[in-house]
C-alpha cells in the first residue's frame, strides 16, 4: 500500500482513562513531507464498570487478563464501528493503539488490550495495531512511540510536550530524535480528585487553593527514576508502587497533595529539557490545567509555550497512531531506536484484515 493520500481512523486510549479517542484523519505525503487534517473526532467515555476494570487490571491474573482483552476488543470494536457509521467514513485502515494495562519493558513485557485479530472482523476494516510489542522484543522500552509523528508532523517546534496520564517530551538532538517519559501527571491528579468525588481537578482550581508540602515535594523529586538516563518510560506500576505509597506517608489535604504534585511535575518538566528556551507545543488533557501550565511557565520563563486548537490538543496521539499505521502499511520506519532504546529502527505493528 504505497500512495500519496490516506484516509484512516486513529484510535487511542490513554492511562488517564478519559475514554477512547477516535480521529478520522486525512494524511498526505508530497515531496517527502507529510501533512494532515483531522476531519472528525470524538471521545467515548468509559462506563463506571469499565473504569473499575481498567483501574484494577494491573492486579489481574493471567486468566482475568485474557478475558479482559477479549471483552475490551469487543467494546473497542463496537465503539469504532459506531464512529464509522455515524460519520459515514470509508477508511483505508483503522490504526489502533489499544489500552495499556501492563508495561514492564525491563522484564521484556508490555500488554495493550484490544489488539486481538477479531477487531478487524468486528469493524469490517483493515486494522493496524499492537505497535509496542515488537519494540520490547528488540530490547526497547516500547515507548514513547509518538516522537516519529512529532518529527514528521510537528517539526516547527523545538519541543513537543504531552501532558496525559504521564508526561513525555520529544526533541531533536545531534540529528536524532530524543524522547522519554518525564513523570506521572493525570494518573495521580485524577486519583486524588476522585477522592473528592470529582473526575478531575477542573483547570487545577483545587490545586491552586492548596499549599506546597515541602517534605513531600523533596521526597518526590528524590525518586530514582528521575536520575535515570533516557530512554526511559513509565507505567501505572510506578505510580502504584512508588508514588502513592510516598504521598500517603504524609498527613495532608487533597488540595495540598494536588498543589505539591503539580509543582513536582512542573519542576521535572523543566529539568528534563536540555535547553530552557525555544518553542514548545503542549498537548494532552493536562494542557487544560491552567495551574499546571502556569507552574511550567514559572520554571521555564524563556520558553514559548504553544497550546494548539482543541482538535490537535485532544487528538494528537490518535492522529499520530494513525500515522504509525500508515507507515506500517508502507513498510516504513515508525519506531525510532533513539527514543525507545531498541537495537534498531523498525516498522512495528500487526495488520489484520
Amino acid at each position: 500500500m504505497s500512495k500519496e493520500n490516506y484516509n484512516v481512523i486513529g484510535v487511542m486510549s490513554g492511562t488517564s482513562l478519559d475514554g477512547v479517542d477516535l480521529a478520522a484523519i486525512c494524511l498526505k505525503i508530497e515531496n517527502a513531507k507529510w501533512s494532515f487534517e483531522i476531519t472528525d473526532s470524538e471521545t467515548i467515555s468509559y462506563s463506571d464498570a469499565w473504569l473499575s476494570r481498567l483501574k484494577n487490571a494491573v492486579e489481574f491474573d493471567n486468566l482475568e487478563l485474557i478475558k479482559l482483552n477479549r471483552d475490551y476488543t469487543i467494546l473497542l470494536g463496537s465503539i469504532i464501528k459506531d464512529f464509522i457509521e455515524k460519520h459515514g467514513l470509508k477508511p483505508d485502515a483503522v490504526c489502533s493503539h489499544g489500552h495499556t494495562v501492563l508495561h514492564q519493558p525491563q522484564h521484556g513485557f508490555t500488554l495493550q488490550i484490544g489488539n486481538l485479530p477479531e477487531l478487524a472482523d468486528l469493524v469490517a476494516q483493515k486494522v493496524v495495531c499492537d505497535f509496542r510489542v515488537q519494540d520490547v522484543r528488540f530490547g526497547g522500552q516500547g515507548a514513547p512511540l509518538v516522537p516519529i509523528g512529532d518529527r514528521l508532523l510537528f517539526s516547527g517546534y523545538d519541543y513537543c510536550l504531552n501532558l496525559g496520564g504521564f508526561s513525555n517530551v520529544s526533541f531533536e538532538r545531534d540529528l536524532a530524535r530524543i524522547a522519554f517519559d518525564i513523570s506521572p501527571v493525570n494518573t495521580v491528579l485524577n486519583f486524588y480528585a476522585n477522592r473528592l468525588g470529582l473526575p478531575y481537578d477542573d483547570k487545577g482550581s483545587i490545586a491552586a487553593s492548596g499549599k506546597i508540602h515541602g517534605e513531600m515535594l523533596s521526597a518526590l523529586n528524590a525518586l530514582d527514576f528521575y536520575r535515570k538516563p533516557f530512554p526511559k518510560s513509565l507505567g501505572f506500576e510506578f505510580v502504584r508502587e512508588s508514588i502513592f505509597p510516598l504521598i500517603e506517608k504524609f498527613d495532608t489535604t487533597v488540595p495540598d497533595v494536588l498543589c505539591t504534585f503539580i509543582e513536582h511535575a512542573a519542576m521535572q518538566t523543566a529539568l528534563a529539557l536540555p535547553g530552557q528556551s525555544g518553542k514548545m507545543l503542549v498537548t494532552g488533557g493536562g494542557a487544560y490545567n491552567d495551574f499546571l501550565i502556569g507552574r511550567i511557565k514559572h520554571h521555564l520563563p524563556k520558553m514559548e509555550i504553544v497550546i494548539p486548537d482543541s482538535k490537535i490538543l485532544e487528538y494528537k496521539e490518535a492522529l499520530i497512531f494513525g500515522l504509525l499505521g500508515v507507515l506500517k502499511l508502507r513498510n516504513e520506519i515508525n519506531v525510532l531506536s533513539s527514543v525507545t532504546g531498541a537495537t534498531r529502527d523498525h516498522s512495528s505493528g500487526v495488520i489484520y484484515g
Side-chain angles (χ1 to χ4, degrees), residues 30-227:
E30 187 174 357
N31 299 323
K33 286 198 168 186
W34 286 96
S35 62
F36 71 90
E37 180 186 3
I38 300 173
T39 57
D40 298 288
S41 56
E42 195 171 351
T43 297
I44 305 299
S45 299
Y46 290 116
S47 66
D48 290 343
W50 266 108
L51 274 174
S52 178
R53 288 184 78 181
L54 294 174
K55 283 180 180 179
N56 294 316
V58 70
E59 308 282 357
F60 286 5
D61 63 28
N62 193 50
L63 287 177
E64 289 174 310
L65 285 173
I66 289 171
K67 184 176 189 322
L68 179 70
N69 200 355
R70 287 174 180 160
D71 291 348
Y72 188 80
T73 299
I74 293 169
L75 173 71
L76 199 56
S78 174
I79 288 171
I80 295 168
K81 188 175 180 182
D82 287 349
F83 181 74
I84 290 171
E85 291 175 355
K86 177 179 178 180
H87 296 286
L89 303 173
K90 294 182 179 179
D92 295 311
V94 171
C95 310
S96 179
H97 171 268
H99 183 83
T100 299
V101 294
L102 294 173
H103 184 64
Q104 301 171 8
Q106 70 275 20
H107 301 306
F109 184 73
T110 187
L111 174 63
Q112 286 70 47
I113 57 173
N115 288 327
L116 297 176
E118 292 87 343
L119 186 62
D121 296 328
L122 290 166
V123 301
Q125 303 288 339
K126 185 187 295 291
V127 170
V128 191
C129 61
D130 222 5
F131 295 101
R132 299 189 188 274
V133 172
Q134 179 173 288
D135 190 74
V136 172
R137 196 163 63 240
F138 288 168
Q141 292 279 311
L145 299 186
V146 167
I148 185 73
D150 291 340
R151 169 182 277 180
L152 296 179
L153 301 179
F154 298 99
S155 60
Y157 297 92
D158 298 293
Y159 300 98
C160 290
L161 175 70
N162 181 67
L163 299 171
F166 299 89
S167 58
N168 51 69
V169 68
S170 89
F171 51 89
E172 296 288 332
R173 192 176 78 173
D174 299 330
L175 301 179
R177 195 76 190 180
I178 304 299
F180 49 90
D181 284 349
I182 298 174
S183 74
V185 182
N186 291 330
T187 46
V188 175
L189 299 179
N190 292 353
F191 176 84
Y192 284 97
N194 293 168
R195 286 195 173 176
L196 300 178
L198 300 169
Y200 56 89
D201 179 11
D202 188 25
K203 297 184 179 179
S205 59
I206 298 170
S209 73
K211 296 184 177 67
I212 293 172
H213 190 294
E215 193 177 350
M216 184 193 297
L217 180 62
S218 295
L220 287 166
N221 286 333
L223 287 168
D224 288 343
F225 175 81
Y226 301 116
R227 290 191 291 274

